[in-house]
Amino acid sequence: MIPITEQANELTLELDMADPQGIARLLRQGDTQLFAGFRTYAGLMDDEILAKAAFISQVAARTLLAGDKGRIFLSGAGTSGRFSHLLCRQFNRFLRAAGKKETFAALIAGGPLALVKAQEGAEDDPIQAVADLENKLPSTVENILYVGITCGLSAPYTAGHLHELGKNPKATSVLLGFNTKESARNVPIEGWHSTFKQVVEACETLGPNRFVLLNPIYGPESILGSTRMKGGTATKILLEAIFFAALELAGIAKKAEGHLNPDQLANAEEIVERLRTLLGQCRETIQKTYDHQQILGELIRQAGSSLRCGGRVIYIGRETAALMGLIDASECPPTFGASFDDIRCYINGGWGELMDNPGEDYTDSGPEFQIDLQSFERNKVEDLAKGDVLLGIAIGELGPNTRLVLEAAQKTKAYVGLLIINSSNTLPPDLPIPADHCHLIQIPSLGFAPGYVNLGELALKVAINSLSSGAHIMVGKIYNNRMIDLRISNNKLYFRAIRTIGILANVDEEQARLALHRAVYQTDSLTADQTNAAPSAVIAASTRVNRVVPIALLMARGSISFETASEMLSRDPVPRRVINQVLGQAVG
């Protein structure tokens, strides 16, 4: 059974043939499934999903009311881990502003560096997951709510947490994902005792008060397997609704008409209706964002033209606008096999702002981790060249430092633009760049509460996900709606690569696996050790090879050597054209 998140979406099969505005329209169609649902499965707005979400809000409210004795963990790898960090950061700020104890803690596979750059194999280590959990769990905590996020119900990192907390009677665990329970990954986890599916089955024996499987089905991703898109969006909106309702139930969130209050803590029906209202705001925000089709099409066109000519796309901004840019940029290398520098983001305040802690700085970890906007202004603005795109991104207001960098960049030959999300229909005064390079996306409200801009973040996510995905579509990283140049950085992508090779080259699973191994080890004749290498060994070796999957596709039928495949791909920067030439009508 192929998991739903690993299937091709029939709505977006023509993505690789569409023009920039057509790409935006097709992505809009795919995103309608977030709320409309998929086939006969329970979706995001269905009663059984909302009933589970309401229960989690109740548990979260009681955990918040426990003060120092309570802890809420959000955990994940890749996109899931990055949104875990973002949400914990935002809700802890909410608590601080209300004079309350910080209760939320994020666990991300690979640690803080994974917020900016994927850490190969980090999500495949359940043992490290347990160590990470123990480091953040004081012995004095008596009330634990854990939410493990893995869109495909597959990440060993999450499995490690679930297994460990299953032994702790103080913990309620939630598994958030978007596949059916039956399609949870059931292959052995290297160096561990269980498959992911076996962990889920064991957790279910704990009973509904100790374990909740929250898995609304929204259908296949618009780009096959790219759960950074619909998966990331569903994660963000569902958890924000759940925990905002919990803050209201705990008497922490600001009161307004229609809000919950502590007297309703035991009233599940009231909580369900409140969640329905909050998710309805998210649905309207996504719809309004996609209404700006001309803007989205223009952003895709500019970014795609930049990547086609060897240029770069650079986001700059402040606060959570820049955090959304960092998340988007960090996901492009593993998703599209892109260079790390193809799409970058710089944030005002750097690591101190990202970590919400001025003393936590990872700048010295390497050039990829130099994310400070001020450093970019001092050292890199002058390097902008013709073909580069510098895009200021903002929610509500344009920050003064972002404005200064945009003004300075006007002296270069780069395309300098501004994307701003606001609830008003007017751009800021005294624009630092030409008006026709400034794009305003108007949405009804910036957030669930005053000073909380989660809906603005959502609109920005939709817009820049469209930009970065559309740009990579324009340079041939997609065949139909399949990624054909993904970077194999973890177990999930290893198996996805084998499945992709098998389908596109029309070969069986074993032929696809051997083709992948030949491409990774850069040989036409595998040794016994290379043939039987464990996924972790192949993942480690793949970091030294570019275009692993396209090379493997060309080699899959045995008629083309590694050297020939590499040479063909070096002559043509668009893998799709070479694959068409070699495999012809078999590709599809």
Side-chain angles (χ1 to χ4, degrees):
M1 178 180 182
I2 299 176
I4 292 169
T5 57
E6 297 290 330
Q7 296 176 19
N9 193 320
E10 59 187 15
L11 297 177
T12 60
L13 288 173
E14 301 301 317
L15 260 177
D16 63 333
M17 303 298 292
D19 63 16
Q21 193 159 326
I23 291 170
R25 287 170 176 159
L26 288 171
L27 295 178
R28 175 180 61 186
Q29 289 181 44
D31 271 4
T32 60
Q33 294 173 317
L34 279 166
F35 297 95
F38 179 68
R39 296 181 181 168
T40 61
Y41 299 103
L44 195 65
M45 300 288 278
D46 288 335
D47 288 343
E48 66 184 85
I49 298 298
L50 292 178
K52 290 181 179 181
F55 170 74
I56 299 165
S57 291
Q58 291 171 312
V59 175
R62 295 187 181 103
T63 306
L64 290 166
L65 291 169
D68 289 345
K69 301 291 186 181
R71 188 72 85 246
I72 299 173
F73 290 101
L74 304 184
S75 163
T79 297
S80 301
R82 295 177 189 113
F83 275 107
S84 295
H85 174 82
L86 174 71
L87 294 171
C88 287
R89 176 187 181 279
Q90 294 304 91
F91 284 119
N92 279 334
R93 284 192 166 195
F94 215 111
L95 292 170
R96 286 206 307 268
K100 304 294 183 180
K101 176 74 175 178
E102 292 185 19
T103 303
F104 290 83
L107 298 164
I108 177 170
L113 297 184
L115 295 170
V116 174
K117 183 181 180 183
Q119 303 298 295
E120 279 77 8
E123 78 168 52
D124 298 330
D125 193 343
I127 298 172
Q128 183 60 49
V130 174
D132 292 347
L133 175 65
E134 290 175 345
N135 286 338
K136 290 196 174 184
L137 181 57
S139 59
T140 55
V141 170
E142 297 179 356
N143 194 326
I144 303 166
L145 173 60
Y146 169 85
V147 181
I149 311 160
T150 166
C151 295
L153 302 186
S154 60
Y157 189 79
T158 303
H161 291 149
L162 290 170
H163 178 264
E164 186 67 17
L165 288 169
K167 298 180 288 186
N168 188 336
K170 301 174 183 177
T172 298
S173 294
V174 177
L175 172 58
L176 174 60
F178 308 107
N179 275 330
T180 63
K181 177 180 66 175
E182 292 73 23
S183 63
R185 181 170 294 157
N186 199 28
V187 299
I189 296 172
E190 286 183 55
W192 210 50
H193 49 71
S194 302
T195 69
F196 193 97
K197 188 173 184 179
Q198 288 168 341
V199 171
V200 176
E201 291 169 345
C203 286
E204 288 188 310
T205 66
L206 299 172
N209 291 324
R210 290 281 317 283
F211 175 73
V212 178
L213 173 59
L214 186 64
N215 62 328
I217 305 299
Y218 55 62
E221 289 286 348
S222 297
I223 297 173
L224 190 151
S226 181
T227 50
R228 80 191 192 106
M229 299 178 73
K230 287 160 70 173
T233 299
T235 296
K236 175 175 165 59
I237 63 180
L238 187 52
L239 292 183
E240 281 173 336
I242 286 170
F243 289 118
F244 191 78
L247 287 166
E248 292 179 347
L249 290 168
I252 297 169
K254 185 176 180 180
K255 299 294 183 295
E257 184 179 354
H259 283 214
L260 297 167
N261 62 66
D263 293 338
Q264 296 169 306
L265 180 57
N267 192 329
E269 290 183 4
E270 291 286 348
I271 301 169
V272 165
E273 288 310 306
R274 180 60 176 149
L275 292 172
R276 200 184 300 278
T277 297
L278 294 172
L279 291 171
Q281 288 183 258
C282 297
R283 176 172 54 190
E284 184 179 18
T285 298
I286 293 174
Q287 290 172 341
K288 292 296 184 183
T289 303
Y290 276 122
D291 283 346
H292 295 80
Q293 284 289 302
Q294 284 190 313
I295 289 176
L296 298 179
E298 175 61 15
L299 291 172
I300 291 170
R301 186 185 71 80
Q302 288 289 347
S305 299
S306 173
L307 295 187
R308 273 181 164 175
C309 71
R312 303 167 294 165
V313 177
I314 299 170
Y315 306 132
I316 59 171
R318 64 172 184 167
E319 298 177 352
T320 55
L323 298 191
M324 300 308 297
L326 279 168
I327 291 173
D328 183 80
S330 70
E331 294 160 341
C332 291
T335 302
F336 299 108
S339 164
F340 183 82
D341 288 318
D342 283 352
I343 298 184
R344 291 288 304 267
C345 182
Y346 296 89
I347 177 172
N348 187 55
W351 280 98
E353 180 67 25
L354 174 58
M355 302 305 295
D356 202 21
N357 179 2
E360 198 165 357
D361 193 333
Y362 299 91
T363 301
D364 293 338
S365 298
E368 302 98 329
F369 304 102
Q370 296 171 3
I371 60 172
D372 184 83
L373 178 60
Q374 286 72 17
S375 175
F376 175 78
E377 180 184 10
R378 289 192 304 270
N379 304 318
K380 298 183 179 181
V381 168
E382 293 181 356
D383 294 336
L384 292 170
K386 184 178 180 181
D388 291 337
V389 169
L390 180 72
L391 184 67
I393 51 178
I395 299 171
E397 297 180 356
L398 180 62
N401 290 328
T402 306
R403 179 185 292 272
L404 288 173
V405 175
L406 292 175
E407 289 175 345
Q410 286 289 97
K411 301 173 185 177
T412 72
K413 295 182 179 181
Y415 174 91
V416 183
L418 171 64
L419 171 62
I420 189 163
I421 310 295
N422 211 344
S423 55
S424 73
N425 62 357
T426 56
L427 284 163
D430 303 321
L431 291 168
I433 59 176
D436 61 347
H437 287 200
C438 298
H439 307 290
L440 171 67
I441 290 179
Q442 184 185 9
I443 57 176
S445 173
L446 290 181
F448 288 160
Y452 185 44
V453 295
N454 64 300
L455 297 176
E457 295 164 2
L458 177 59
L460 182 59
K461 178 188 186 298
V462 169
I464 60 178
N465 277 177
S466 298
L467 178 157
S468 59
S469 296
H472 285 103
I473 291 168
M474 288 179 64
V475 296
K477 296 288 189 177
I478 301 297
Y479 195 101
N480 291 345
N481 58 2
R482 294 177 181 273
M483 299 177 288
I484 55 172
D485 202 6
L486 64 157
R487 193 175 300 278
I488 305 171
S489 57
N490 56 49
N491 199 277
K492 172 183 69 178
L493 297 179
Y494 171 83
F495 287 105
R496 181 181 296 164
I498 291 173
R499 189 178 299 116
T500 298
I501 295 162
I503 291 172
L504 296 187
N506 195 25
V507 297
D508 63 32
E509 183 177 344
E510 180 63 8
Q511 286 177 284
R513 187 185 72 86
L514 293 175
L516 179 64
H517 284 220
R518 286 197 295 271
V520 167
Y521 290 111
Q522 306 177 59
T523 182
D524 299 322
S525 301
L526 294 167
T527 66
D529 286 345
Q530 292 169 338
T531 297
N532 301 313
S536 60
V538 179
I539 291 164
S542 72
T543 61
R544 302 188 294 270
V545 188
N546 291 322
R547 296 185 167 183
V548 167
V549 175
I551 290 172
L553 273 167
L554 297 179
M555 298 176 70
R557 295 183 188 170
S559 59
I560 291 181
S561 68
F562 174 84
E563 183 178 352
T564 300
S566 300
E567 183 181 344
M568 293 178 72
L569 288 165
S570 69
R571 289 199 302 263
D572 193 325
V574 181
R576 173 165 50 93
R577 288 199 292 256
V578 181
I579 293 166
N580 269 353
Q581 176 186 339
V582 173
L583 300 183
Q585 296 303 312
V587 178

